[in-house]
Amino acid sequence: MELSGCGTALVTPFLSDGSLDEKALRDLVQWQVENGIRFLVPTGSTGEACALTEEEWLRVVRIVIEAADGRVPVFVGCSHNTTRQAVERVKKLQTIPGVAGVLTANPYYTKPTQEGQYQHFRAIAEGTHLQVLLYNIPSRTGINLLPETTARLAEIPNIIGVKESCGNLQQITELIHAVPRRFRVFGGDDNLALPILSVGGAGLVSVAANAIPLEMSRMITAALENDWVRARQMYRKY
């Protein structure tokens, strides 16, 4: 599976009593797929994963997979700063039919070295048959995954790409030139979507797509098809 285009970092809707709004979540997934979104990412930062119980986390995953019904890949947000627990969580996900892969962020709070991050992500990838998308988001985790470390991780067969939310276009450009063509670099910030695509990015994991999936999907598709006039017009508008 070659992942590209616009994916959505799904929100997790709740009812006023604090429980999951399962109908709203199903409706959201249906709307996303109908409006051209290429893949879905539940239970990430936008899905408030850090506030979900494990039972809620797994329930959200199952609902999204059921609602998507195989029409688009589902990459599940699955992060932990303890490597052993991160591996255990991924192993739980791989027992759920329909999970295409995981999105897993830098080990937060503990601020490991580059080698520490490499060993953490490597252990996750080697602990599962699922595809793995790395997630570099130093503003949330306190640690940056550098291009040379990502390039090493790209050598591991089931690590297929990275969601880059470092906010540094120079670093992302260096990364795109450092990794093999099969390795997919996705923007993780809507405001940097077109700059990242212009230097070779494969797509975007979008937050805005929760509200405007058709528009974001069309904008990313236009850029990937080198229709930059149309892409820029949409970018300026939204």
Side-chain angles (χ1 to χ4, degrees), residues 128-220:
T128 182
H129 64 265
L130 295 172
Q131 295 185 320
V132 176
L133 275 177
L134 309 174
Y135 184 14
N136 185 35
I137 181 165
S139 64
R140 299 289 185 94
T141 62
I143 189 69
N144 188 18
L145 186 67
L146 296 178
E148 53 266 33
T149 307
T150 307
R152 289 178 66 200
L153 288 162
E155 297 173 1
I156 298 171
N158 62 329
I159 297 182
I160 66 164
V162 62
K163 176 186 175 184
E164 260 297 348
S165 297
C166 68
N168 184 330
L169 186 59
Q170 179 177 340
Q171 175 176 316
I172 295 170
T173 304
E174 291 173 1
L175 169 63
I176 289 170
H177 289 297
V179 295
R181 284 186 176 273
R182 69 161 187 86
F183 190 83
R184 320 299 280 173
V185 177
F186 291 90
D189 300 300
D190 290 285
N191 63 311
L192 287 179
L194 292 196
I196 291 171
L197 290 173
S198 75
V199 295
L204 172 71
V205 181
S206 174
V207 173
N210 280 283
I212 49 171
L214 181 62
E215 294 83 352
M216 293 302 294
S217 176
R218 286 178 173 174
M219 183 184 78
I220 298 305

